[in-house]
Amino acid sequence: MQLVQGQREELLQALCCGGSAEGLESVIDLLLAWDLLVWEDYQDLCAPFQTLSSRARGLLDLACIKGESACALLLAACSRIFPESQKVVLSFGGCKPPLEVEVPHPATATQALRCHRPHLVRSLRDGITTALKALLDSGNFTIYDCDEVQLLLYTPSQQARCLLDRVQSKGESAAAILLQHIQKSKDNLTTPENEEHPAECLLYKKKLQSSLSAQSHFLSTYGGMENLSLDDIYTEGLLEVAQGSGEAQQPLGLEDILGHVGTLNEEADTVLVSGEAGSGKSTLMQRLLQLWAQGAALQEYLFLFSFSCRRLSAEEREISLRDLLFTHCCWPDRDQDMLFQYMLDHPHKVLFTFDGVDEFRLGFSDERKLCCPTQLAPISVLLFNLLQGSLMKGVRKVATSRPVAVTPALKRYLRKEVSLKGFSTEGIDCFVRKHHSDPAVAKRVLGSLQSNTALFGLCHTPVFCWIVSQCSRELLGCGRSPQTITDIYLMILQHFFQRRSSRWPSPDLGWLKGNAGTVMHLGRLALDGLWLSCFVFSGVELQRCGVTEEDICTGFLIHTKEHSSPESKHYEFLHVTMQCFFAALFIVLNNDIGRSTIQNLFYPQYRQDSVLARVCLGRCLSAGSQKGGPDEGAERPNLEITATFVSGLLSQRHRKLLLQTFPAPTLDIKCMQVIKALSKGMRKHFRSIPQPIQGEKKSMHAMPEFVWLIKCIYEMQESAFAKDALASLEVEHLKLTYCNIGPVECTALAYVLQHLKTSVGLQLDYNSVGDVGVEQLLPCLEICHSIYLRNNNISDEGIHKLIDKGIQCENLQKIALFNNKLTDACTKYFAELLKKKPHFLSLRLGNNYITAVGAEQLAVGLKSNRSLKYLGLWGNKVRDRGAEALAQALQDSPSLVWLSLVDNGISSAGACALAELIKSSKSLEELWLTKNCITREGVEYLLQALEKNTSMKSIWLRGNELSPEEVEEVTQRDSRVVF
């Protein structure tokens, strides 16, 4: 008990590591299996709406209440679950788990579920669907039980735990069926060979693990962050099944990247982790390598080979697959032939990772197939054939890339795609606290972030969160808090320069002027590299751009050991966004930049030259590229980031800073060039809007480039220009679906869209808005007559803010929020909205987690509303009680036209209440009751109601509990009943 109490803070940090619940829940699984926790204890610890930290504190408190032996078991469970890196800072007092002889053999199936819970969670994680089918077929589960288990906000491991909990509550029969199913699944598996691995393979694995462990120990991104241990600083980002992948979004854990969830093509081998620049892809990949090297994950793979595509693209000679593995990764001390043959014979034992496919500048094509593992080939041919499976079929590959950089040629060969969305709100809190050892400083930084919603939105991107954490002194000491991405990068520029020099100890304006030479040297290097998609620079290239040793010591360039040799050192920028920022500084501050450069930056004219020409002639083109713009090697995503920085640097906010080193007239000319380019881009989009078909609204479906233009306008922070840019936009509906819109983009959209002349319907479905993004959108809510936010990971907290503002917005008439994380807690806000907005027309809350309690709260607002026409609550769980409350509240509605209660667990009792609504309603035309539990008795109530309501057009009843004969008979009686 003394160990638990004395290490309470350390245990809490370990249990909440990375903001993920997996560690805590795994510890709880063990304690359930060891009978330390009774079922009531478990339910208290897993009560809904508790934060992760509250659950962890509850577990520690419970162990101390239960006494010395309970604390010993808790420490034993933690010792088993925590990775080695976390165990180093904790003392477990030699506490051991109970011996197998001490644990009684389970007498019943339900007891077996508890005794073997940790093993069962692992077994079920990739087989939830088949397990649910077995329970459904046996009659122990209903379709509604299945829905509860497969909630989209659960990770696969959490779905497995939820399944075990529900089976436990169903009793012995359900437990026996589940155990039989799991055993049958094991028996049916085509298990790989069980023979012992050759000793040479185990020796080589040990060497690989040792090498990767050393490489991954310190955080490699952002220059290593002063040699911080990855274990100490790593914070999990939000991982989801990719939009458009055919499955609804759901959160994933690291272990699910290579799992079955989200699989689109069973025959493919490559898993793609996509994310925007700075979202944490490289850090996530490093974490995977570390976990494998520590033996904590991915142990089904005997060998793991890791590659950086940025470094592979520097390989100029033709090589074979064997060279790639042994020369670029880890050289075997002996038996190379045997090891390589073993890999060819056992591809399922091998895992490849490729970080930064978007940075592989040689390009991919299907022109040359390569199937022979010993044949020499250019690195681009070798890599593409590995990814598509022509080479080493059966070897699983994990690749990372920015979304827009993945070509259709590569997408065809993906097994699945998962999206990395950056930090959650809890992740920001976790990262900042890990970055600052002083809790008081961490608390002040978090307080500063939470008081500045624009900055807090930016921090959902890990690279921005790192900058803010790194520059805490500047953040807390400056008078004006950063608002834009450019503000943040100027802050780190100031931080790095002042850290290296004592001449500018105070945050005055002299720091840029005093370091103008370094800025120009690094800027020239960055821009030259940008034009050619070059991210690693030799000493010769540094010398050509005037980069000195003093410039290198500022910290913006880091030494890359993989490319370097004793004769020649190579360098790269801290992050690709840092290279883009210095390139932007050079464009803004250099007198010799040609007039066409800014135009080419915003709208590059790509030449359709061959890949061979780009490789052979790239260096020859570099001398002239500075003046004219990008050649065909420049990557569009990097140009857009650079253009965004150029827009921000030319803002009036930073004019005083730049005037120290640059004359005002030239800055004004460049500013006008940027404004002209942005205006041209906006007009181009507006001209592309088709004329509406008669009777339809005029709408514009914006492309991702439109969002980028909006971000550039926001960076300039010029309200007059924002207003002018939107002056000619006259649409009734603005569609921005699948545009990777997160909190950062929401801030920019709200800043610009609030200047629209007429109200608009804003559709942001299938993005990553989240609660913070909702808060960023509030300034433009006044101009919206409708807002659609399907599939955006929004919770009750975001709804509270949305409704508080929406009540004040006279134009707002429609809200759609299906496929989010809304519970009963949000319905009281919607009830208030319905009470206070006399002209509100449509509320759609489908596929959330609203029960009868929420429906009853919503009914309170519906009773007072006289304008609502459309109410959608499909895919919730309002049941009969909720249906009765809604039906009673809507009986006097003079306006309701359409009501959907599809898939809500409604039986004949609910149908009876809805029949009364049909009888009394003068406006209702459509009632959707598909996929419920209504029997022939309930349908009879509805048929009798239809006899008294001739204005009703249709009642949809497909998927209820009627036989084919009953369906035929009901259809004959009234054609308005639709099956």
Side-chain angles (χ1 to χ4, degrees):
M1 190 181 297
Q2 289 179 349
L3 280 173
V4 172
Q5 293 172 340
Q7 302 177 105
R8 183 180 177 88
E9 184 177 346
E10 291 80 3
L11 286 168
L12 278 173
Q13 288 181 354
L15 288 167
C16 302
C17 181
S20 168
E22 184 59 31
L24 172 65
E25 290 173 351
S26 296
V27 168
I28 291 175
D29 288 342
L30 279 175
L31 298 180
L32 269 173
W34 296 343
D35 280 333
L36 170 62
L37 300 179
V38 297
W39 197 245
E40 290 75 15
D41 295 332
Y42 171 70
Q43 290 178 315
D44 288 341
L45 290 172
C46 297
F49 314 123
Q50 285 193 91
T51 63
L52 178 60
S53 57
S54 296
R55 293 176 62 195
R57 290 188 181 93
L59 177 62
L60 297 180
D61 292 342
L62 187 61
C64 291
I65 291 170
K66 286 179 177 285
E68 188 68 21
S69 61
C71 289
L73 286 177
L74 172 65
L75 290 170
C78 291
S79 176
R80 178 174 289 189
I81 297 299
F82 293 167
E84 291 299 325
S85 54
Q86 288 180 332
K87 293 182 191 178
V88 173
V89 297
L90 289 165
S91 173
F92 299 99
C95 296
K96 302 290 184 184
L99 298 173
E100 290 186 13
V101 294
E102 296 176 1
V103 181
H105 186 74
T108 64
T110 49
Q111 287 178 0
L113 291 186
R114 291 186 59 182
C115 290
H116 303 304
R117 185 180 175 94
H119 171 71
L120 293 174
V121 168
R122 291 192 295 272
S123 300
L124 286 168
R125 198 171 63 207
D126 287 330
I128 293 291
T129 303
T130 55
L132 288 173
K133 186 177 185 303
L135 290 162
L136 197 60
D137 292 344
S138 69
N140 287 284
F141 263 34
T142 67
I143 189 68
Y144 310 106
D145 292 315
C146 297
D147 290 343
E148 291 291 333
V149 169
Q150 292 182 300
L151 291 180
L152 299 180
L153 73 165
Y154 291 157
T155 66
S157 296
Q158 289 171 325
Q159 287 183 351
R161 293 184 179 99
C162 182
L163 173 59
L164 291 172
D165 295 348
R166 293 189 80 79
V167 170
Q168 188 93 25
S169 67
K170 296 282 183 179
E172 191 66 17
S173 172
I177 291 293
L178 180 62
L179 291 172
Q180 289 170 15
H181 167 77
I182 293 172
Q183 186 59 48
K184 185 178 178 181
S185 299
K186 286 182 180 178
D187 295 340
N188 290 339
L189 281 176
T190 54
T191 54
E193 310 84 62
N194 290 322
E195 76 272 9
E196 291 291 329
H197 300 302
E200 294 83 355
C201 291
L202 296 177
L203 283 172
Y204 185 55
K205 177 187 179 182
K206 187 174 181 181
K207 184 172 183 180
L208 263 175
Q209 286 181 315
S210 176
S211 174
L212 288 176
S213 181
Q215 292 175 34
S216 60
H217 181 75
F218 293 112
L219 187 67
S220 60
T221 50
Y222 320 138
M225 288 182 65
E226 299 175 350
N227 290 336
L228 283 176
S229 165
L230 182 65
D231 284 320
D232 292 338
I233 198 66
Y234 181 75
T235 303
E236 285 192 4
L238 288 169
L239 270 174
E240 295 176 348
V241 174
Q243 298 279 20
S245 66
E247 291 195 27
Q249 282 179 295
Q250 56 181 296
L252 302 174
L254 281 177
E255 74 279 5
D256 303 313
I257 291 175
L258 285 155
H260 183 75
V261 178
T263 298
L264 292 174
N265 183 355
E266 294 279 359
E267 301 304 316
D269 299 324
T270 300
V271 176
L272 178 69
V273 179
S274 61
E276 299 296 337
S279 60
K281 301 183 295 296
S282 296
T283 306
L284 178 143
M285 193 68 81
Q286 186 182 348
R287 182 63 167 175
L288 280 178
L289 304 182
Q290 183 189 48
L291 292 175
W292 179 81
Q294 293 174 346
L298 306 176
Q299 292 309 289
E300 61 270 34
Y301 300 103
L302 187 62
F303 305 117
L304 190 156
F305 296 96
S306 174
F307 304 97
S308 163
C309 291
R310 176 184 292 188
R311 291 169 188 131
L312 285 180
S313 63
E315 179 63 70
E316 297 177 352
R317 61 193 178 96
E318 292 194 350
I319 61 173
S320 68
L321 174 63
R322 176 171 165 158
D323 293 332
L324 180 71
L325 300 183
F326 293 160
T327 305
H328 278 266
C329 282
C330 181
W331 184 259
D333 295 324
R334 59 184 183 183
D335 301 308
Q336 290 95 335
D337 292 338
M338 188 281 294
L339 285 170
F340 188 58
Q341 189 60 49
Y342 187 87
M343 294 174 201
L344 296 177
D345 294 340
H346 302 82
H348 59 278
K349 290 292 183 183
V350 184
L351 175 65
F352 292 164
T353 68
F354 299 98
D355 187 29
V357 172
D358 53 310
E359 295 182 3
F360 189 77
R361 62 188 179 92
L362 301 181
F364 296 126
S365 75
D366 271 328
E367 294 176 3
R368 180 176 171 185
K369 292 293 183 185
L370 181 67
C371 303
C372 177
T374 58
Q375 183 179 346
L376 296 176
I379 189 66
S380 58
V381 174
L382 191 64
L383 179 53
F384 187 69
N385 279 274
L386 276 171
L387 292 174
Q388 73 173 13
S390 299
L391 196 61
M392 289 291 279
K393 179 65 181 170
V395 171
R396 191 74 80 236
K397 300 104 183 175
V398 181
T400 68
S401 173
R402 283 181 280 185
V404 295
V406 182
T407 63
L410 180 57
K411 280 213 170 191
R412 291 168 51 199
Y413 301 106
L414 294 183
R415 182 177 181 85
K416 69 176 180 181
E417 181 179 353
V418 296
S419 297
L420 182 59
K421 303 291 187 179
F423 289 151
S424 63
T425 299
E426 294 77 15
I428 295 173
D429 185 285
C430 180
F431 183 86
V432 171
R433 293 186 186 280
K434 285 184 173 184
H435 190 87
H436 295 285
S437 56
D438 186 343
V441 174
K443 185 176 181 180
R444 288 181 63 203
V445 172
L446 288 168
S448 179
L449 293 181
Q450 289 159 1
S451 65
N452 181 341
T453 57
L455 183 58
F456 193 60
L458 288 171
C459 285
H460 281 71
T461 302
V463 67
F464 302 152
C465 194
W466 166 68
I467 292 174
V468 169
S469 298
Q470 189 82 353
C471 305
S472 56
R473 188 181 67 179
E474 287 80 2
L475 176 70
L476 299 174
C478 67
R480 184 174 64 185
S481 189
Q483 297 287 321
T484 67
I485 297 172
T486 308
D487 292 350
I488 286 181
Y489 276 75
L490 281 171
M491 186 168 69
I492 197 169
L493 194 71
Q494 178 183 357
H495 171 82
F496 272 48
F497 282 146
Q498 292 187 344
R499 184 187 61 175
R500 296 290 303 175
S501 174
S502 59
R503 287 178 291 171
W504 299 281
S506 61
D508 56 22
L509 294 175
W511 60 269
L512 181 60
K513 184 177 181 180
N515 292 280
T518 297
V519 169
M520 298 304 283
H521 299 158
L522 295 177
R524 182 182 295 275
L525 181 72
L527 188 59
D528 276 0
L530 191 70
W531 288 159
L532 296 167
S533 289
C534 176
F535 307 104
V536 180
F537 306 96
S538 67
V540 173
E541 289 166 320
L542 266 64
Q543 187 176 8
R544 179 171 56 80
C545 294
V547 178
T548 65
E549 191 66 35
E550 185 178 351
D551 298 334
I552 295 172
C553 289
T554 56
F556 296 108
L557 289 177
I558 54 174
H559 179 212
T560 58
K561 297 178 181 177
E562 290 82 358
H563 276 88
S564 300
S565 64
E567 298 79 28
S568 174
K569 286 186 177 181
H570 284 70
Y571 295 87
E572 60 188 346
F573 282 88
L574 278 173
H575 193 263
V576 66
T577 54
M578 190 64 71
Q579 182 173 343
C580 294
F581 179 62
F582 271 100
L585 279 167
F586 189 74
I587 290 171
V588 170
L589 297 178
N590 185 10
N591 279 316
D592 297 329
I593 287 290
R595 179 168 290 193
S596 61
T597 300
I598 288 179
Q599 182 180 348
N600 286 333
L601 180 68
F602 280 87
Y603 299 102
Q605 303 299 315
Y606 290 101
R607 295 192 295 277
Q608 302 299 318
D609 294 344
S610 67
V611 173
L612 181 62
R614 180 164 72 227
V615 175
C616 296
L617 303 178
R619 294 299 176 194
C620 302
L621 292 168
S622 64
S625 65
Q626 297 174 19
K627 297 180 181 179
D631 74 329
E632 75 285 350
E635 295 178 358
R636 183 66 185 157
N638 291 335
L639 296 182
E640 289 184 354
I641 295 171
T642 306
T644 305
F645 282 131
V646 168
S647 303
L649 288 167
L650 290 170
S651 165
Q652 290 296 327
R653 290 156 55 87
H654 305 305
R655 185 57 56 92
K656 187 176 180 182
L657 176 67
L658 299 185
L659 282 176
Q660 297 178 59
T661 55
F662 209 62
T666 313
L667 287 175
D668 291 336
I669 290 171
K670 292 185 178 181
C671 185
M672 291 307 300
Q673 287 177 333
V674 169
I675 288 174
K676 186 177 179 180
L678 293 174
S679 299
K680 176 184 174 183
M682 296 296 279
R683 287 195 303 271
K684 176 185 173 184
H685 275 279
F686 300 159
R687 283 197 301 268
S688 69
I689 303 172
Q691 289 300 315
I693 300 171
Q694 188 173 3
E696 291 189 358
K697 295 179 179 179
K698 187 177 182 181
S699 62
M700 170 180 150
H701 191 161
M703 296 292 105
E705 184 178 310
F706 176 78
V707 180
W708 162 63
L709 291 170
I710 292 287
K711 289 170 72 175
C712 289
I713 294 171
Y714 173 72
E715 289 293 315
M716 295 197 80
Q717 291 287 294
E718 305 288 346
S719 297
F721 172 51
K723 188 174 182 179
D724 290 342
L726 292 184
S728 58
L729 178 60
E730 294 181 0
V731 293
E732 293 182 74
H733 195 86
L734 181 58
K735 192 173 182 181
L736 289 153
T737 57
Y738 295 106
C739 285
N740 289 316
I741 291 173
V744 176
E745 290 74 21
C746 287
T747 306
L749 280 169
Y751 178 82
V752 177
L753 295 183
Q754 63 183 313
H755 297 295
L756 284 169
K757 291 182 177 180
T758 57
S759 61
V760 66
L762 181 59
Q763 187 170 352
L764 292 167
D765 301 335
Y766 302 100
N767 285 294
S768 305
V769 171
D771 294 338
V772 176
V774 167
E775 189 171 2
Q776 304 306 306
L777 288 171
L778 298 184
C780 74
L781 201 60
E782 185 67 54
I783 203 68
C784 298
H785 58 68
S786 54
I787 185 162
Y788 304 87
L789 291 162
R790 302 171 180 88
N791 269 80
N792 268 290
N793 204 31
I794 297 167
S795 73
D796 302 327
E797 181 184 350
I799 295 307
H800 189 182
K801 296 169 183 174
L802 179 70
I803 299 305
D804 278 355
K805 177 67 175 179
I807 290 172
Q808 306 167 26
C809 299
E810 186 177 344
N811 288 320
L812 188 63
Q813 295 180 318
K814 299 178 182 179
I815 294 177
L817 283 157
F818 29 96
N819 291 5
N820 281 290
K821 300 193 298 184
L822 310 186
T823 71
D824 295 332
C826 76
T827 52
K828 61 185 178 183
Y829 307 127
F830 286 114
E832 196 69 16
L833 176 80
L834 292 167
K835 285 181 186 177
K836 294 185 177 180
K837 285 191 71 65
H839 304 298
F840 195 75
L841 299 179
S842 175
L843 181 61
R844 300 173 192 257
L845 303 174
N847 285 356
N848 282 289
Y849 311 105
I850 297 169
T851 69
V853 174
E856 288 170 339
Q857 289 184 149
L858 197 60
V860 176
L862 290 169
K863 285 180 182 177
S864 305
N865 187 274
R866 315 297 291 173
S867 62
L868 191 72
K869 288 187 176 183
Y870 306 96
L871 178 61
L873 285 166
W874 63 93
N876 285 283
K877 297 292 176 286
V878 304
R879 316 288 189 200
D880 289 334
R881 196 175 107 206
E884 290 166 3
L886 293 169
Q888 185 178 0
L890 291 166
Q891 279 187 14
D892 297 327
S893 171
S895 58
L896 189 71
V897 173
W898 181 89
L899 172 63
S900 175
L901 292 170
V902 170
D903 192 16
N904 264 282
I906 297 170
S907 70
S908 294
C912 181
L914 291 165
E916 294 301 315
L917 168 63
I918 294 170
K919 290 178 185 178
S920 63
S921 177
K922 299 293 190 295
S923 60
L924 187 62
E925 295 179 357
E926 286 190 72
L927 175 61
W928 286 74
L929 293 171
T930 309
K931 291 178 65 178
N932 280 293
C933 313
I934 302 170
T935 63
R936 180 65 181 80
E937 178 190 0
V939 175
E940 186 62 36
Y941 296 134
L942 297 171
L943 287 168
Q944 292 173 9
L946 283 174
E947 292 174 3
K948 298 184 179 182
N949 187 331
T950 56
S951 62
M952 189 84 178
K953 292 181 179 179
S954 59
I955 301 178
W956 294 77
L957 286 170
R958 180 181 296 171
N960 281 280
E961 297 180 1
L962 278 77
S963 68
E965 294 78 16
E966 287 172 329
V967 169
E968 180 65 26
E969 183 256 326
V970 170
T971 307
Q972 292 289 337
R973 282 185 58 182
D974 197 319
S975 61
R976 291 177 293 173
V977 179
V978 185
F979 289 93

